[in-house]
């Protein structure tokens, strides 16, 4: 689950509590100094969604505003490659005066959690998705391929709704660099294959609003990870606001943390996993009206990258 890059003490506490299966989701503390060279600041470009994200899966990706819109750009915007062709990394919109904000949700499930799901653990959160639809909040869902396989009907429902876009959160939710909160690590070739396998799972489920964006499990990456994904033609998406919804029990505290952190162009990381983030829906119902009252407009990540 998500752990703040900027809250080291919280990382230590949550890391012990979560275990290897979900510890690293959305963390982001594993960035090397060299890897930071491919971060925000790279000029935006409307690049074709090539590699595993190309074709019908990317053609319906939406850059809608605060209300759902029919149709979508055929080529979702991506960032230009970083130094030496490294995969670019996006954290927050470069345009800091436009009061837009992207709520993003990690739909987490690791490759070995099938038995837990079979035993009744819920890695999905239909009430949250329903709330986002009711509130008309365009959102980006970073989905693991294993989640799409476990919940194909939901993956298709989310991935055919113009209110949402589906981005890649790996297939296995294993680490792309090590150490990363105890997650098993993939080598370069396995990492690239893991991304492809996730996109294939989305296509199999029928999720067509797929965009060429990738979120590293744990948010952990270095130059080697960025190089391994360079041929996938994706933009890696981090965040600048951590919601703190992982294993939270107080929706007010989650809402307060988000409201305190949001700035124009922010990317907020939250979760679409009931067993590990049980109060996210309730927190969203508090966050959305308050940010709208403050003049914010909700957008998908594709709209922020396109600015």
């Amino acid at each position: 689950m998500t752990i703040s890059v900027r809250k080291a003490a919280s990382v230590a506490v949550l890391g012990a509590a979560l275990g290897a299966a979900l510890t690293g989701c959305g963390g982001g503390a594993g960035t090397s100094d060299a890897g930071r060279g491919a971060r925000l600041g790279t000029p935006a470009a409307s690049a074709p969604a090539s590699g595993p994200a190309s074709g019908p899966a990317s053609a319906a990706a939406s850059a809608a505003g605060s209300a759902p819109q029919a149709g979508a750009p055929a080529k979702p915007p991506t960032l230009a490659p970083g130094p030496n062709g490294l995969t670019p990394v996006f954290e927050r919109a470069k345009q800091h005066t436009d009061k837009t904000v992207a709520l993003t949700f990690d739909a987490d499930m690791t490759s070995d959690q099938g038995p837990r799901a079979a035993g009744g653990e819920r890695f999905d959160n239909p009430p949250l998705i329903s709330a986002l639809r009711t509130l008309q909040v365009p959102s980006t869902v970073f989905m693991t391929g294993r989640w799409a396989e476990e919940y194909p009907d939901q993956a298709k429902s989310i991935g055919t709704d113009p209110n949402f876009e589906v981005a890649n959160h790996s297939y296995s939710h294993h680490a792309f660099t090590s150490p990363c909160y105890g997650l098993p690590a993939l080598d370069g070739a396995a990492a690239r294959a893991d991304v492809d396998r996730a996109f294939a799972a989305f296509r199999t489920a029928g999720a067509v609003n797929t965009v060429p964006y990738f979120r590293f499990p744990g948010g952990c990456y270095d130059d080697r990870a960025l190089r391994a994904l360079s041929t996938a033609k994706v933009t890696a998406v981090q965040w600048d606001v951590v919601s703190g919804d992982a294993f939270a029990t107080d929706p007010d505290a989650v809402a307060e943390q988000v409201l305190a952190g949001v700035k124009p162009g922010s990317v907020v990381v939250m979760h679409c996993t009931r067993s590990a983030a049980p109060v996210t829906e309730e927190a969203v119902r508090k966050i959305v009206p308050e940010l709208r009252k403050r003049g914010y407009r909700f957008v998908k990540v594709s709209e922020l990258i396109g600015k």
Side-chain angles (χ1 to χ4, degrees), residues 85-226:
L86 295 181
T87 297
V89 183
F90 177 82
E91 276 186 2
R92 180 182 171 210
K94 293 177 69 176
Q95 172 53 262
H96 292 170
T97 58
D98 187 4
K99 294 185 83 169
T100 52
V101 57
L103 298 187
T104 69
F105 299 88
D106 290 356
D108 295 333
M109 188 170 181
T110 62
S111 57
D112 59 354
Q113 288 178 332
R116 288 168 57 178
E121 185 169 350
R122 299 303 298 263
F123 297 93
D124 61 342
N125 196 339
L128 169 62
I129 298 300
S130 178
L132 293 169
R133 285 173 168 142
T134 299
L135 294 167
Q136 295 191 345
V137 178
S139 307
T140 304
V141 178
F142 286 85
M143 193 179 291
T144 67
R146 183 64 187 87
W147 193 99
E149 287 180 350
E150 187 69 27
Y151 305 108
D153 291 344
Q154 292 186 54
K156 181 177 181 179
S157 177
I158 293 168
T160 55
D161 185 337
N163 204 54
F164 301 108
E165 61 190 11
V166 172
N168 194 314
H169 193 33
S170 81
Y171 175 84
S172 65
H173 201 272
H174 288 177
F176 281 58
T177 187
S178 185
C180 185
Y181 309 113
L183 292 172
L186 302 170
D187 63 24
R192 177 68 172 81
D194 202 67
V195 173
D196 291 349
R197 188 176 179 186
F199 278 121
F202 304 157
R203 288 193 295 270
T204 298
V208 296
N209 295 344
T210 304
V211 287
Y213 308 145
F214 177 78
R215 176 164 285 167
F216 286 100
C220 304
Y221 67 92
D222 55 15
D223 275 5
R224 185 180 66 84
L226 295 176

Side-chain angles (χ1 to χ4, degrees), residues 10-31:
S10 297
V11 169
V13 174
L14 287 174
L18 302 182
L22 286 176
T23 297
C25 180
T31 311

